[in-house]
Amino acid sequence: LAGGSLHQDLAGTRVLVSAGGTREPLDPVRFLGNRSSGRQGWALARVAAARGAEVTLVAANVEDPAPFGCRVVPVGTAAELGAAMTEHAPAADVVVMAAAVADFRPAEVAPAKMKKGGSSEPSSVALTRNPDVLAGLVAARPAGQLVVGFAAETGDADDDVLGHARAKLARKGCDLLVVNDVSAGQVFGRPDNAVTVLAADGSATDVPAGPKDLVAAGIWDSVAPRVTTRR
Ligand code: CTP
Ligand code: CA
């Protein structure tokens, strides 16, 4: 692990991390999913535990073994992830929403496997919007709790990556937003990652590209000084 993990700057801190990607069922055997591997969230949990935190990891569809010293709460759908986060957030000093949460789910889940042929063959999938878990956590947060969001952004005709990210940070109301620039290539499922940590006070800290454990250590270097242990 990174040198940062040798100091116990998160000793006694209760950390809640979500990781992975939600799956929204279409029928008993199919789902709408995303490419999140859960590796960055896993690294954040592992590094926080190594630096002394008490870590709960809400894990959406991640097969990897639990990081050493972390309690894992497995979930499948966005609704399950939301319920688990809502249950565990009140006891946390810092909440990190690293999971890729589906924005939409199928409006109806077929009770039996959809079959080819016949009159019931589907021609399209109707979707309905999932609640924003992060926004709900921000709205319900206890005084003194730090809430950290994640965003994967690309630049476009409207704005660059940091512009989109600043707008998202303001919209979400969280304290910090960890921003991934995904314009250049694929981050998903790869061991390396580079991020910028944006704060509601306007500061931006770059964490250079490296293995996800090193990036996690860099993220905690930005986050840890802002955490207050509420007990
Ligand atoms: N998030 C969430 N609940 C959702 C969607 C997203 O809690 N239903 C969280 C993610 O875990 C992440 C943050 O919100 O920490 C930003 O996710 P992102 O997909 O970038 O934001 P959205 O508001 O969904 O915006 P976009 O339309 O760009 O996808
Ligand atoms: Ca989204």
Side-chain angles (χ1 to χ4, degrees), residues 90-129:
D93 300 309
V94 51
V95 176
V96 181
M97 275 296 296
V101 183
D103 292 324
F104 306 98
R105 66 178 184 276
E108 275 169 37
V109 182
K113 186 183 171 190
M114 291 188 265
K115 291 293 210 181
K116 292 195 295 291
S119 57
S120 64
E121 184 162 335
S123 59
S124 64
V125 180
L127 300 175
T128 188
R129 182 90 82 91

mmCIF file of all heavy atoms in Angstrom, residues 90-129:
data_model
loop_
_atom_site.group_PDB
_atom_site.id
_atom_site.type_symbol
_atom_site.label_atom_id
_atom_site.label_comp_id
_atom_site.label_asym_id
_atom_site.label_seq_id
_atom_site.Cartn_x
_atom_site.Cartn_y
_atom_site.Cartn_z
ATOM 1 N N PRO A 90 -26.467 6.862 9.163
ATOM 2 C CA PRO A 90 -26.545 7.648 10.397
ATOM 3 C C PRO A 90 -25.368 7.425 11.354
ATOM 4 O O PRO A 90 -25.014 8.320 12.116
ATOM 5 C CB PRO A 90 -27.868 7.187 11.040
ATOM 6 C CG PRO A 90 -28.693 6.752 9.876
ATOM 7 C CD PRO A 90 -27.716 6.107 8.917
ATOM 8 N N ALA A 91 -24.740 6.247 11.295
ATOM 9 C CA ALA A 91 -23.618 5.953 12.196
ATOM 10 C C ALA A 91 -22.260 6.274 11.588
ATOM 11 O O ALA A 91 -21.233 5.936 12.159
ATOM 12 C CB ALA A 91 -23.660 4.477 12.595
ATOM 13 N N ALA A 92 -22.235 6.906 10.420
ATOM 14 C CA ALA A 92 -20.957 7.147 9.741
ATOM 15 C C ALA A 92 -20.477 8.581 9.919
ATOM 16 O O ALA A 92 -21.267 9.511 9.955
ATOM 17 C CB ALA A 92 -21.094 6.828 8.252
ATOM 18 N N ASP A 93 -19.152 8.746 10.032
ATOM 19 C CA ASP A 93 -18.543 10.083 10.042
ATOM 20 C C ASP A 93 -18.318 10.578 8.617
ATOM 21 O O ASP A 93 -18.345 11.775 8.365
ATOM 22 C CB ASP A 93 -17.201 10.042 10.778
ATOM 23 C CG ASP A 93 -17.355 9.588 12.220
ATOM 24 O OD1 ASP A 93 -18.204 10.151 12.927
ATOM 25 O OD2 ASP A 93 -16.651 8.641 12.618
ATOM 26 N N VAL A 94 -18.071 9.639 7.710
ATOM 27 C CA VAL A 94 -17.877 9.999 6.301
ATOM 28 C C VAL A 94 -18.526 8.943 5.416
ATOM 29 O O VAL A 94 -18.418 7.745 5.676
ATOM 30 C CB VAL A 94 -16.378 10.229 5.969
ATOM 31 C CG1 VAL A 94 -15.513 9.086 6.432
ATOM 32 C CG2 VAL A 94 -16.168 10.470 4.477
ATOM 33 N N VAL A 95 -19.254 9.421 4.413
ATOM 34 C CA VAL A 95 -19.948 8.553 3.471
ATOM 35 C C VAL A 95 -19.358 8.794 2.082
ATOM 36 O O VAL A 95 -19.272 9.938 1.638
ATOM 37 C CB VAL A 95 -21.463 8.860 3.444
ATOM 38 C CG1 VAL A 95 -22.167 8.010 2.386
ATOM 39 C CG2 VAL A 95 -22.083 8.632 4.817
ATOM 40 N N VAL A 96 -18.938 7.707 1.424
ATOM 41 C CA VAL A 96 -18.316 7.815 0.105
ATOM 42 C C VAL A 96 -19.157 7.033 -0.902
ATOM 43 O O VAL A 96 -19.273 5.809 -0.821
ATOM 44 C CB VAL A 96 -16.874 7.253 0.127
ATOM 45 C CG1 VAL A 96 -16.226 7.382 -1.245
ATOM 46 C CG2 VAL A 96 -16.031 7.950 1.189
ATOM 47 N N MET A 97 -19.748 7.746 -1.861
ATOM 48 C CA MET A 97 -20.607 7.088 -2.868
ATOM 49 C C MET A 97 -19.811 6.798 -4.133
ATOM 50 O O MET A 97 -19.897 7.521 -5.119
ATOM 51 C CB MET A 97 -21.803 7.992 -3.201
ATOM 52 C CG MET A 97 -22.982 7.863 -2.259
ATOM 53 S SD MET A 97 -23.764 6.220 -2.278
ATOM 54 C CE MET A 97 -24.359 6.167 -3.966
ATOM 55 N N ALA A 98 -19.026 5.707 -4.072
ATOM 56 C CA ALA A 98 -18.221 5.333 -5.229
ATOM 57 C C ALA A 98 -18.972 4.406 -6.187
ATOM 58 O O ALA A 98 -18.490 4.134 -7.284
ATOM 59 C CB ALA A 98 -16.922 4.670 -4.774
ATOM 60 N N ALA A 99 -20.143 3.914 -5.786
ATOM 61 C CA ALA A 99 -20.877 2.974 -6.642
ATOM 62 C C ALA A 99 -21.431 3.667 -7.879
ATOM 63 O O ALA A 99 -21.762 4.855 -7.851
ATOM 64 C CB ALA A 99 -22.029 2.338 -5.860
ATOM 65 N N ALA A 100 -21.539 2.902 -8.961
ATOM 66 C CA ALA A 100 -22.238 3.350 -10.168
ATOM 67 C C ALA A 100 -23.695 2.913 -10.022
ATOM 68 O O ALA A 100 -24.010 1.718 -10.095
ATOM 69 C CB ALA A 100 -21.604 2.727 -11.400
ATOM 70 N N VAL A 101 -24.543 3.879 -9.742
ATOM 71 C CA VAL A 101 -25.953 3.595 -9.482
ATOM 72 C C VAL A 101 -26.739 3.830 -10.773
ATOM 73 O O VAL A 101 -26.606 4.895 -11.386
ATOM 74 C CB VAL A 101 -26.504 4.517 -8.364
ATOM 75 C CG1 VAL A 101 -27.955 4.147 -8.048
ATOM 76 C CG2 VAL A 101 -25.642 4.436 -7.118
ATOM 77 N N ALA A 102 -27.552 2.849 -11.161
ATOM 78 C CA ALA A 102 -28.347 3.005 -12.387
ATOM 79 C C ALA A 102 -29.300 4.183 -12.250
ATOM 80 O O ALA A 102 -30.006 4.306 -11.242
ATOM 81 C CB ALA A 102 -29.146 1.730 -12.646
ATOM 82 N N ASP A 103 -29.311 5.051 -13.251
ATOM 83 C CA ASP A 103 -30.232 6.181 -13.234
ATOM 84 C C ASP A 103 -31.666 5.728 -13.508
ATOM 85 O O ASP A 103 -32.615 6.382 -13.071
ATOM 86 C CB ASP A 103 -29.819 7.213 -14.289
ATOM 87 C CG ASP A 103 -28.498 7.887 -13.942
ATOM 88 O OD1 ASP A 103 -28.253 8.116 -12.743
ATOM 89 O OD2 ASP A 103 -27.717 8.175 -14.866
ATOM 90 N N PHE A 104 -31.794 4.621 -14.254
ATOM 91 C CA PHE A 104 -33.122 4.136 -14.655
ATOM 92 C C PHE A 104 -33.223 2.635 -14.399
ATOM 93 O O PHE A 104 -32.223 1.940 -14.414
ATOM 94 C CB PHE A 104 -33.346 4.368 -16.153
ATOM 95 C CG PHE A 104 -33.123 5.790 -16.586
ATOM 96 C CD1 PHE A 104 -31.910 6.170 -17.144
ATOM 97 C CD2 PHE A 104 -34.113 6.739 -16.413
ATOM 98 C CE1 PHE A 104 -31.699 7.479 -17.546
ATOM 99 C CE2 PHE A 104 -33.912 8.054 -16.810
ATOM 100 C CZ PHE A 104 -32.704 8.432 -17.370
ATOM 101 N N ARG A 105 -34.431 2.182 -14.198
ATOM 102 C CA ARG A 105 -34.683 0.741 -14.108
ATOM 103 C C ARG A 105 -35.874 0.413 -15.004
ATOM 104 O O ARG A 105 -36.687 1.312 -15.299
ATOM 105 C CB ARG A 105 -34.994 0.336 -12.662
ATOM 106 C CG ARG A 105 -36.300 0.905 -12.132
ATOM 107 C CD ARG A 105 -36.602 0.450 -10.696
ATOM 108 N NE ARG A 105 -37.905 0.948 -10.250
ATOM 109 C CZ ARG A 105 -38.108 2.156 -9.746
ATOM 110 N NH1 ARG A 105 -37.109 3.000 -9.614
ATOM 111 N NH2 ARG A 105 -39.311 2.538 -9.379
ATOM 112 N N PRO A 106 -35.982 -0.857 -15.437
ATOM 113 C CA PRO A 106 -37.163 -1.237 -16.205
ATOM 114 C C PRO A 106 -38.439 -0.940 -15.403
ATOM 115 O O PRO A 106 -38.507 -1.258 -14.200
ATOM 116 C CB PRO A 106 -36.979 -2.739 -16.422
ATOM 117 C CG PRO A 106 -35.488 -2.929 -16.399
ATOM 118 C CD PRO A 106 -35.006 -1.954 -15.341
ATOM 119 N N ALA A 107 -39.404 -0.322 -16.068
ATOM 120 C CA ALA A 107 -40.634 0.080 -15.372
ATOM 121 C C ALA A 107 -41.369 -1.140 -14.830
ATOM 122 O O ALA A 107 -42.023 -1.073 -13.793
ATOM 123 C CB ALA A 107 -41.527 0.871 -16.317
ATOM 124 N N GLU A 108 -41.243 -2.265 -15.565
ATOM 125 C CA GLU A 108 -41.860 -3.498 -15.086
ATOM 126 C C GLU A 108 -40.873 -4.643 -15.172
ATOM 127 O O GLU A 108 -40.105 -4.731 -16.134
ATOM 128 C CB GLU A 108 -43.100 -3.832 -15.922
ATOM 129 C CG GLU A 108 -44.322 -3.097 -15.402
ATOM 130 C CD GLU A 108 -45.505 -3.195 -16.343
ATOM 131 O OE1 GLU A 108 -45.683 -4.275 -16.950
ATOM 132 O OE2 GLU A 108 -46.218 -2.192 -16.454
ATOM 133 N N VAL A 109 -40.899 -5.496 -14.161
ATOM 134 C CA VAL A 109 -40.052 -6.696 -14.163
ATOM 135 C C VAL A 109 -40.956 -7.874 -14.482
ATOM 136 O O VAL A 109 -41.934 -8.125 -13.775
ATOM 137 C CB VAL A 109 -39.378 -6.895 -12.790
ATOM 138 C CG1 VAL A 109 -38.467 -8.111 -12.832
ATOM 139 C CG2 VAL A 109 -38.624 -5.651 -12.379
ATOM 140 N N ALA A 110 -40.628 -8.590 -15.590
ATOM 141 C CA ALA A 110 -41.445 -9.749 -15.955
ATOM 142 C C ALA A 110 -41.280 -10.833 -14.893
ATOM 143 O O ALA A 110 -40.154 -11.140 -14.498
ATOM 144 C CB ALA A 110 -41.021 -10.270 -17.323
ATOM 145 N N PRO A 111 -42.370 -11.415 -14.409
ATOM 146 C CA PRO A 111 -42.268 -12.435 -13.354
ATOM 147 C C PRO A 111 -41.684 -13.746 -13.872
ATOM 148 O O PRO A 111 -41.114 -14.511 -13.098
ATOM 149 C CB PRO A 111 -43.714 -12.631 -12.886
ATOM 150 C CG PRO A 111 -44.559 -12.125 -14.009
ATOM 151 C CD PRO A 111 -43.767 -11.090 -14.741
ATOM 152 N N ALA A 112 -41.794 -13.993 -15.181
ATOM 153 C CA ALA A 112 -41.226 -15.204 -15.783
ATOM 154 C C ALA A 112 -40.304 -14.797 -16.932
ATOM 155 O O ALA A 112 -40.410 -13.690 -17.460
ATOM 156 C CB ALA A 112 -42.348 -16.107 -16.300
ATOM 157 N N LYS A 113 -39.410 -15.691 -17.285
ATOM 158 C CA LYS A 113 -38.445 -15.396 -18.349
ATOM 159 C C LYS A 113 -39.162 -15.008 -19.652
ATOM 160 O O LYS A 113 -40.086 -15.690 -20.078
ATOM 161 C CB LYS A 113 -37.578 -16.641 -18.584
ATOM 162 C CG LYS A 113 -36.453 -16.393 -19.573
ATOM 163 C CD LYS A 113 -35.664 -17.664 -19.822
ATOM 164 C CE LYS A 113 -34.695 -17.446 -20.977
ATOM 165 N NZ LYS A 113 -34.081 -18.701 -21.414
ATOM 166 N N MET A 114 -38.685 -13.893 -20.254
ATOM 167 C CA MET A 114 -39.258 -13.468 -21.533
ATOM 168 C C MET A 114 -38.814 -14.431 -22.630
ATOM 169 O O MET A 114 -37.636 -14.776 -22.720
ATOM 170 C CB MET A 114 -38.812 -12.044 -21.855
ATOM 171 C CG MET A 114 -39.420 -11.009 -20.921
ATOM 172 S SD MET A 114 -39.058 -9.325 -21.461
ATOM 173 C CE MET A 114 -37.613 -8.969 -20.502
ATOM 174 N N LYS A 115 -39.757 -14.850 -23.468
ATOM 175 C CA LYS A 115 -39.490 -15.846 -24.505
ATOM 176 C C LYS A 115 -39.593 -15.223 -25.891
ATOM 177 O O LYS A 115 -40.384 -14.303 -26.102
ATOM 178 C CB LYS A 115 -40.527 -16.968 -24.397
ATOM 179 C CG LYS A 115 -40.376 -17.818 -23.143
ATOM 180 C CD LYS A 115 -39.101 -18.612 -23.190
ATOM 181 C CE LYS A 115 -39.211 -19.922 -22.439
ATOM 182 N NZ LYS A 115 -37.945 -20.663 -22.497
ATOM 183 N N LYS A 116 -38.815 -15.785 -26.818
ATOM 184 C CA LYS A 116 -38.939 -15.362 -28.208
ATOM 185 C C LYS A 116 -40.259 -15.868 -28.780
ATOM 186 O O LYS A 116 -40.757 -16.925 -28.367
ATOM 187 C CB LYS A 116 -37.802 -15.940 -29.049
ATOM 188 C CG LYS A 116 -36.442 -15.380 -28.711
ATOM 189 C CD LYS A 116 -35.420 -15.700 -29.778
ATOM 190 C CE LYS A 116 -35.144 -17.197 -29.901
ATOM 191 N NZ LYS A 116 -34.438 -17.760 -28.729
ATOM 192 N N GLY A 117 -40.770 -15.082 -29.753
ATOM 193 C CA GLY A 117 -41.976 -15.525 -30.448
ATOM 194 C C GLY A 117 -43.230 -15.254 -29.641
ATOM 195 O O GLY A 117 -43.181 -14.868 -28.470
ATOM 196 N N GLY A 118 -44.363 -15.412 -30.274
ATOM 197 C CA GLY A 118 -45.632 -15.240 -29.572
ATOM 198 C C GLY A 118 -45.984 -13.775 -29.385
ATOM 199 O O GLY A 118 -45.228 -12.873 -29.745
ATOM 200 N N SER A 119 -47.123 -13.527 -28.783
ATOM 201 C CA SER A 119 -47.657 -12.168 -28.673
ATOM 202 C C SER A 119 -46.955 -11.354 -27.589
ATOM 203 O O SER A 119 -47.017 -10.134 -27.584
ATOM 204 C CB SER A 119 -49.151 -12.236 -28.374
ATOM 205 O OG SER A 119 -49.339 -12.987 -27.189
ATOM 206 N N SER A 120 -46.277 -12.031 -26.661
ATOM 207 C CA SER A 120 -45.674 -11.297 -25.542
ATOM 208 C C SER A 120 -44.232 -10.867 -25.829
ATOM 209 O O SER A 120 -43.560 -10.329 -24.962
ATOM 210 C CB SER A 120 -45.693 -12.158 -24.277
ATOM 211 O OG SER A 120 -44.887 -13.294 -24.472
ATOM 212 N N GLU A 121 -43.754 -11.081 -27.073
ATOM 213 C CA GLU A 121 -42.375 -10.709 -27.388
ATOM 214 C C GLU A 121 -42.194 -9.195 -27.259
ATOM 215 O O GLU A 121 -42.935 -8.430 -27.861
ATOM 216 C CB GLU A 121 -42.027 -11.159 -28.815
ATOM 217 C CG GLU A 121 -40.588 -10.880 -29.153
ATOM 218 C CD GLU A 121 -40.088 -11.675 -30.360
ATOM 219 O OE1 GLU A 121 -40.655 -12.755 -30.656
ATOM 220 O OE2 GLU A 121 -39.143 -11.216 -30.991
ATOM 221 N N PRO A 122 -41.197 -8.741 -26.453
ATOM 222 C CA PRO A 122 -41.059 -7.298 -26.228
ATOM 223 C C PRO A 122 -40.397 -6.616 -27.423
ATOM 224 O O PRO A 122 -39.520 -7.185 -28.060
ATOM 225 C CB PRO A 122 -40.156 -7.219 -24.997
ATOM 226 C CG PRO A 122 -39.376 -8.484 -25.009
ATOM 227 C CD PRO A 122 -40.232 -9.522 -25.680
ATOM 228 N N SER A 123 -40.818 -5.378 -27.724
ATOM 229 C CA SER A 123 -40.190 -4.610 -28.799
ATOM 230 C C SER A 123 -39.380 -3.448 -28.234
ATOM 231 O O SER A 123 -38.537 -2.880 -28.922
ATOM 232 C CB SER A 123 -41.253 -4.087 -29.755
ATOM 233 O OG SER A 123 -42.155 -3.274 -29.043
ATOM 234 N N SER A 124 -39.616 -3.090 -26.982
ATOM 235 C CA SER A 124 -38.847 -2.010 -26.343
ATOM 236 C C SER A 124 -38.935 -2.205 -24.841
ATOM 237 O O SER A 124 -39.734 -2.997 -24.348
ATOM 238 C CB SER A 124 -39.395 -0.647 -26.750
ATOM 239 O OG SER A 124 -40.713 -0.523 -26.278
ATOM 240 N N VAL A 125 -38.089 -1.461 -24.125
ATOM 241 C CA VAL A 125 -38.089 -1.545 -22.664
ATOM 242 C C VAL A 125 -38.469 -0.181 -22.105
ATOM 243 O O VAL A 125 -37.765 0.800 -22.348
ATOM 244 C CB VAL A 125 -36.690 -1.942 -22.129
ATOM 245 C CG1 VAL A 125 -36.702 -2.015 -20.608
ATOM 246 C CG2 VAL A 125 -36.235 -3.259 -22.726
ATOM 247 N N ALA A 126 -39.549 -0.105 -21.389
ATOM 248 C CA ALA A 126 -39.932 1.149 -20.732
ATOM 249 C C ALA A 126 -39.114 1.308 -19.459
ATOM 250 O O ALA A 126 -38.940 0.348 -18.701
ATOM 251 C CB ALA A 126 -41.426 1.137 -20.406
ATOM 252 N N LEU A 127 -38.584 2.505 -19.223
ATOM 253 C CA LEU A 127 -37.728 2.762 -18.068
ATOM 254 C C LEU A 127 -38.368 3.775 -17.139
ATOM 255 O O LEU A 127 -39.156 4.620 -17.558
ATOM 256 C CB LEU A 127 -36.370 3.307 -18.530
ATOM 257 C CG LEU A 127 -35.543 2.410 -19.443
ATOM 258 C CD1 LEU A 127 -34.291 3.143 -19.898
ATOM 259 C CD2 LEU A 127 -35.178 1.113 -18.744
ATOM 260 N N THR A 128 -37.975 3.688 -15.882
ATOM 261 C CA THR A 128 -38.428 4.671 -14.905
ATOM 262 C C THR A 128 -37.218 5.132 -14.104
ATOM 263 O O THR A 128 -36.248 4.399 -13.947
ATOM 264 C CB THR A 128 -39.547 4.072 -14.013
ATOM 265 O OG1 THR A 128 -40.086 5.092 -13.205
ATOM 266 C CG2 THR A 128 -39.039 2.961 -13.139
ATOM 267 N N ARG A 129 -37.225 6.357 -13.638
ATOM 268 C CA ARG A 129 -36.076 6.958 -12.971
ATOM 269 C C ARG A 129 -35.891 6.390 -11.564
ATOM 270 O O ARG A 129 -36.865 6.261 -10.819
ATOM 271 C CB ARG A 129 -36.297 8.472 -12.902
ATOM 272 C CG ARG A 129 -35.168 9.261 -12.278
ATOM 273 C CD ARG A 129 -34.142 9.705 -13.299
ATOM 274 N NE ARG A 129 -34.553 10.918 -13.988
ATOM 275 C CZ ARG A 129 -34.235 12.149 -13.570
ATOM 276 N NH1 ARG A 129 -33.536 12.315 -12.471
ATOM 277 N NH2 ARG A 129 -34.621 13.193 -14.262
#
